[in-house]
Amino acid sequence: MKNLAIIIPTFNRKVYLSNLLNQISNLSHSDFDLYIIVVVDGSTDATIEMLSENFPQVHKVKGTGDWWYTKSINEGLAYIKNL
């Protein structure tokens, strides 16, 4: 079976992230294993708590708040190597 990983960098976009993850979870993916990695770069809107409560299957990477897009993607890619 093939693997597919989706890296989602985020900062204080809890509602939008929740909507996106709900849409992704409705996808049919019997041909591959799906890994979702959300890189939360210092969010203060309870994004981590929302992920833990509503999307426990999502892998979480916590940033320092100054990673921005490129560092967040790079950290997500580094995380994937350890899966």
Side-chain angles (χ1 to χ4, degrees):
M1 183 164 300
K2 296 184 181 193
N3 296 327
L4 174 66
I6 300 173
I7 300 171
I8 305 169
T10 189
F11 175 77
N12 287 341
R13 297 288 184 262
K14 179 176 74 170
V15 174
Y16 298 112
L17 178 62
S18 179
N19 290 337
L20 174 63
L21 293 173
N22 280 318
Q23 292 173 1
I24 291 172
S25 68
N26 290 330
L27 294 175
S28 173
H29 55 87
S30 61
D31 295 339
F32 54 88
D33 290 328
L34 180 63
Y35 297 93
I36 301 171
I37 298 93
V38 175
V39 182
V40 182
D41 187 26
S43 292
T44 58
D45 65 348
T47 298
I48 292 287
E49 293 80 4
M50 180 274 297
L51 289 171
S52 296
E53 290 176 20
N54 301 333
F55 303 97
Q57 75 280 11
V58 169
H59 300 270
K60 295 169 276 307
V61 177
K62 295 179 186 177
T64 62
D66 61 355
W67 284 4
W68 299 82
Y69 179 81
T70 303
K71 173 86 171 166
S72 294
I73 292 295
N74 288 336
E75 291 297 322
L77 288 169
Y79 183 88
I80 289 171
K81 291 179 183 178
N82 296 320
L83 287 179

